[in-house]
Amino acid sequence: MTTTTTTTTTTVPMTAAEDPPAVRRRRRRGLAPGKRLPASRLIGPALFLALWAAASAAGQLDPGAIPAPWTVLKTAGHLWTDGTLPTDVRTSLERAGYGFALGLTAGVVLALAAGLSRIGEALIDGTVQLNRAIPTLGLIPLFILWLGIGETFKIAIIAIVVYIPIYLNLHAALSGIDHRYVELAEVQGLSRLQFVRQIVIPGALPGFFVGLRLGVTGSWLSLVVLEQINATSGLGYMMFQAQNYGQSDVILVGLLIYGVFGLVSDSAVRLVERRVLSWRRTLSS
């Protein structure tokens, strides 16, 4: 005699708490900003240029005050052809480069000295905070008396504008490292050099890159003012001369070049940041 056993399977609905991890992950993806758009940083400037062109074509803008984009491009081509624009661009890049290099070096060295030593913090941090409270451009008359009215004082002012945000963000990142990592390094018997290389540098890099981006932008912002003081070349000098002759198209050429330089340099820093900090999983990843 054959006995047949029938097994009945009862399906119990799964609650949200019992969902598989993959399902829960799919449901929570809606909270994130989403996938990065291609060339997303160019969408805003492109929209601005489109609105500017449309308003100019419709006659909504005074050509004497705000020339059309095609007029500005034509002026830029003329300035480039006669050799004026290449010389001014090269001079501005050199000034910004020298000042940025000095400011970057000073900001990193001072932040490391203040962030890794109590004595260094006591000697450095208060002085930097005092310097931060003083308007940097207000130091121009004093620096002219000290360094003369040539190129040296311009580079020194740019360096000051650059080093302050780098120092502040790097020092804050160093101070914000969890003390438990220090205890863990002591338990593991790490040397001072190993501690700096394996814990301090990875922990401080995000803050360093924030300060670096602010420093890059600051070098261009200060350059606009400095190149109007006893200069014979540079984008700021070109804009100052154009103001005297009422050439608004030349002024817009200078402003657009400054904007392009700022956008490109900031994008370069962000690209390096993503490569160096590829181990981080953030909303912008």
Side-chain angles (χ1 to χ4, degrees), residues 38 70 109 117 127 133 143 155 175 182 187 205 208 227 232 244 262:
W70 45 87
V109 170
S117 170
T127 305
F143 272 61
I155 295 174
S175 302
V182 180
V187 171
L205 277 177
F208 167 72
E227 288 190 327
T232 57
N244 294 333

Side-chain angles (χ1 to χ4, degrees), residues 53-174:
S56 298
Q60 299 298 316
L61 299 177
D62 181 9
I66 306 178
W70 45 87
T71 303
V72 175
L73 290 177
K74 183 178 178 180
T75 301
H78 175 70
L79 292 172
W80 188 271
T81 302
D82 65 13
T84 301
L85 194 56
T87 302
D88 291 334
V89 169
R90 183 172 60 252
T91 303
S92 295
L93 286 174
E94 289 177 354
R95 288 172 179 151
Y98 288 137
F100 177 77
L102 289 175
L104 174 61
T105 303
V108 171
V109 170
L110 292 175
L112 290 176
L116 299 178
S117 170
R118 294 299 184 187
I119 297 176
E121 184 177 28
L123 295 174
I124 295 171
D125 191 62
T127 305
V128 175
Q129 298 298 335
L130 178 63
N131 189 4
R132 182 172 71 96
I134 298 174
T136 305
L137 296 180
L139 297 173
I140 291 178
L142 189 60
F143 272 61
I144 291 177
L145 292 176
W146 288 349
L147 304 174
I149 203 168
E151 293 295 313
T152 307
F153 95 91
K154 296 181 179 67
I155 295 174
I157 292 294
I158 294 173
I160 292 176
V161 173
V162 170
Y163 101 87
I164 290 177
I166 292 177
Y167 169 86
L168 292 176
N169 286 276
L170 182 54
H171 181 263
L174 291 170

Side-chain angles (χ1 to χ4, degrees), residues 252-265:
L252 285 175
V253 168
L255 290 176
L256 288 177
I257 293 176
Y258 275 129
V260 170
F261 282 167
L263 180 62
V264 170
S265 56

